Amino acid sequence: MDVKRKLEILADAAKYDASCASSGTEKRDSRDGKGIGSTDAGMGICHSYAPDGRCISLLKILLTNACNYDCLYCVNRASSNVTRARFTVDEVVQLTLDFYRRNYIEGLFLSSGIIRSADYTMEQVVAVARKLREEHHFRGYIHLKTIPEADDALITEAGKYADRLSINIEVPEEDSLAKLAPEKDVRAIRRTMGRLRLKLDEAREGRKPTPRGKVGPRFAPAGQSTQMIVGADSANDSTIIRTSANLYGSYNLKRVYYSAFSPIPDASRALPLRAPPLIREHRLYQADWLMRFYGFDADEIVDDNDGMLSLDMDPKLAWALRHRDRFPLDVNRASREDLLRVPGFGAKAVQRIIETRRISSIRVGDLARLHIPRNKALPFIVLPDHRPTVNLLDSARLVERFKPKATQLGFGF
Ligand code: SF4
C-alpha cells in the first residue's frame, strides 16, 4: 500500500478525535537558521478551522488504525470491518516535514490504535517525535496521544518532545466506559493523568530561571488535555460538565474537548442510532468556557429540572433568565464578577467597561464600541439613560424574545 493511500485511511480514521488545538505552547522558531518549523502564529503557518470550530491546521493522523481493543464507539475497534493501514515511523516523519515545508500545517497530532502492547505502541509514537526533534530539529507543534497503560519512562520521554499530551477519558461515567470499552481501565486513565500533572508541575517549577540562569528539562509545555464523547451513552449535560470540572480541578487540564458521537458503520446495538445535535456539543463548549473564564460553578450552569443545557440559547443567557432576581445590574457600579454574568458581556468587554468607567459613565451609545450586543444585554442592565421595565424583566415574553424564530419545515422540493 502506498503512502498516499495510507494517508487517506489514517487521516480519515483520526477525524473523530476533536482534541487538536495548538494553543498554550512555548514559542519556538527557526529564524536562527537551525531546524525547521515554528510555533509562532504569523510565521507562514496556516491556521484554519472547520465550520464546527475544530482546528484543522495540524497533520492529524493515526500511526495505525489496527487495534487490539474493541471499544464499541470506535470505528477502529478490533471487530470493525474497515481497511487497515499502518505507517512506519519514517513515513510519518517525512509526511510531517513535507507538509510543513509546503505550509499546509503547523504541526503534528499523532494518535494510534493499540497494537502488540501499550508499551510497543507508545514506543512507536515517541520514536516519531524523537526523530522529528532530534534528527530533523523540527520546531513545530507536536501533540501526542498517550496510552494510559504505557510505561512511565515512555510517557516521560513523550513529554520531552511533545508540546501537548492527551489521554482520552472517552465517556463521562465510569459505568459507561466499562460497558462500551471493556478493555479500558478508568483507574489507569486517571492514574496516568495524575502522573502527568505531577510531571507538568515539576517541570513548571524546574523551568523557572535560577540566579545562574539554569532551567530544568521541558515537559509538554502546552499541558495535557482530554476528550469526552457526547451522546454515546445516557449521561446528561449536568454529568458531563461536573466530570469536566472534576478533571480540570484534579489534573489541571488545559482543555476538555467534547466530541458529538457519530454513528459508525456496523455499530453495536448498545449505541444510539442517531448522532446528538451538533449544537449540543457547542453548548457544552460554551458551558466549559463559563467555568474556566466567567467564574461559574459546574452546579449552577445546568437547569436541575432535566440536567440538559438549552439548545435554544447559550448557557449564560439561560442562567440569567432563571435568576432574574439578580438583575438589572448597574453597569457603572457592579463588580467584575457580576458583570461577567450579564448576557452578551464577554470577558474582554468587561475589562473595557472597568477601564472606561474609571473615566466616564457608560451609556447606551457606548455599548456598540464595547462590542456588546444591545438587544441581548439591555433587559439585564441599568445605565444612566436606560432602565428595563420591571414588567419586561418579569414577563414570560423575555424568554420568548431570545428563542430562535420558528421556521416552517420545507416539503423537500
Ligand atoms: S483503544 Fe482507541 S483506537 Fe482502539 S478501539 Fe479503543 S478508542 Fe479505538
Side-chain angles (χ1 to χ4, degrees):
M1 190 184 282
D2 66 11
V3 172
K4 186 166 171 287
R5 178 70 184 129
K6 288 186 192 179
L7 183 60
E8 279 169 13
I9 295 169
L10 294 169
D12 190 64
K15 72 184 177 192
Y16 297 97
D17 204 310
S19 50
C20 65
S22 62
S23 56
T25 190
E26 63 188 7
K27 294 220 186 300
R28 289 190 301 274
D29 66 56
S30 44
R31 277 174 292 186
D32 56 4
K34 294 178 200 150
I36 176 171
S38 160
T39 55
D40 199 0
M43 292 294 296
I45 296 167
C46 172
H47 287 280
S48 89
Y49 293 87
D52 58 1
R54 286 180 185 145
C55 172
I56 52 169
S57 59
L58 307 175
L59 172 60
K60 185 174 160 190
I61 47 174
L62 301 188
L63 195 61
T64 176
N65 65 340
C67 191
N68 296 342
Y69 287 16
D70 205 38
C71 310
L72 297 186
Y73 48 78
C74 179
V75 72
N76 304 316
R77 68 195 187 281
S79 62
S80 174
N81 188 23
V82 292
T83 309
R84 307 286 175 173
R86 179 180 170 184
F87 279 127
T88 64
V89 168
D90 286 334
E91 283 169 342
V92 178
V93 169
Q94 203 49 52
L95 272 176
T96 307
L97 297 174
D98 286 350
F99 277 36
Y100 198 92
R101 287 192 180 108
R102 290 179 201 172
N103 212 17
Y104 292 166
I105 55 162
E106 61 175 313
L108 171 69
F109 171 93
L110 186 62
S111 181
S112 182
I114 297 171
I115 42 169
R116 291 200 210 169
S117 68
D119 281 351
Y120 175 79
T121 310
M122 195 72 214
E123 266 166 26
Q124 299 285 298
V125 168
V126 170
V128 170
R130 186 192 309 118
K131 261 199 164 177
L132 278 169
R133 294 282 193 232
E134 296 199 338
E135 290 181 23
H136 299 279
H137 306 287
F138 180 72
R139 296 183 183 182
Y141 183 85
I142 298 180
H143 178 158
L144 300 180
K145 268 273 131 89
T146 309
I147 299 165
E149 296 83 8
D151 190 83
D152 198 42
L154 286 166
I155 290 175
T156 305
E157 201 182 353
K160 181 175 160 195
Y161 302 120
D163 291 276
R164 175 165 287 179
L165 297 175
S166 57
I167 302 172
N168 286 354
I169 193 90
E170 307 291 14
V171 284
E173 291 180 306
E174 293 184 16
D175 292 354
S176 301
L177 191 70
K179 278 188 214 132
L180 299 176
E183 289 111 333
K184 290 205 169 175
D185 177 358
V186 75
R187 281 165 307 176
I189 293 173
R190 294 232 171 215
R191 198 167 49 239
T192 307
M193 281 182 169
R195 290 199 319 235
L196 283 182
R197 182 190 179 154
L198 283 179
K199 289 181 204 296
L200 287 163
D201 288 348
E202 277 167 25
R204 205 166 297 119
E205 225 16 68
R207 285 182 76 77
K208 287 183 187 155
T210 63
R212 291 182 181 177
K214 284 190 175 175
V215 289
R218 85 194 278 287
F219 187 87
Q224 64 167 323
S225 60
T226 193
Q227 171 183 276
M228 250 190 279
I229 301 167
V230 175
D233 65 358
S234 58
N236 63 18
D237 292 343
S238 176
T239 304
I240 293 172
I241 291 166
R242 286 192 175 111
T243 303
S244 296
N246 175 279
L247 291 169
Y248 281 123
S250 305
Y251 308 112
N252 202 14
L253 296 188
K254 283 280 185 213
R255 290 292 303 270
V256 176
Y257 291 91
Y258 306 93
S259 177
F261 164 73
S262 335
I264 49 174
D266 305 322
S268 152
R269 283 203 190 156
L271 293 171
L273 292 172
R274 294 174 58 188
L278 209 55
I279 187 76
R280 184 177 173 203
E281 182 186 291
H282 180 61
R283 296 289 180 232
L284 283 164
Y285 276 114
Q286 290 177 319
D288 186 284
W289 211 255
L290 291 185
M291 285 194 292
R292 292 190 298 136
F293 302 112
Y294 288 78
F296 281 77
D297 284 333
D299 292 341
E300 58 182 338
I301 296 175
V302 185
D303 189 355
D304 284 337
N305 286 339
D306 60 355
M308 296 297 283
L309 293 166
S310 167
L311 298 181
D312 290 340
M313 62 185 76
D314 70 75
K316 186 156 80 158
L317 177 58
W319 176 88
L321 289 168
R322 291 198 305 275
H323 295 87
R324 296 188 215 185
D325 53 310
R326 306 267 295 253
F327 300 98
L329 211 64
D330 185 338
V331 173
N332 288 295
R333 290 171 191 274
S335 66
R336 176 192 295 270
E337 290 72 30
D338 285 342
L339 288 173
L340 283 169
R341 290 179 175 248
V342 178
F345 280 30
K348 280 190 189 149
V350 168
Q351 185 55 34
R352 283 192 216 110
I353 286 170
I354 289 169
E355 284 162 14
T356 305
R357 74 187 187 183
R358 283 191 198 121
I359 303 160
S360 61
S361 266
I362 292 164
R363 306 174 76 86
V364 172
D366 296 317
L367 296 181
R369 190 176 50 78
L370 295 164
H371 302 295
I372 291 171
R374 279 171 59 127
N375 288 348
K376 196 167 188 182
L378 283 177
F380 301 96
I381 56 175
V382 172
L383 297 164
D385 52 349
H386 164 77
R387 174 172 281 277
T389 60
V390 177
N391 286 348
L392 175 64
L393 199 52
D394 285 344
S395 76
R397 274 189 303 123
L398 191 55
V399 176
E400 293 309 314
R401 178 173 165 160
F402 290 114
K403 281 193 172 170
K405 291 202 173 27
T407 49
Q408 187 170 356
L409 290 174
F411 293 102
F413 55 81

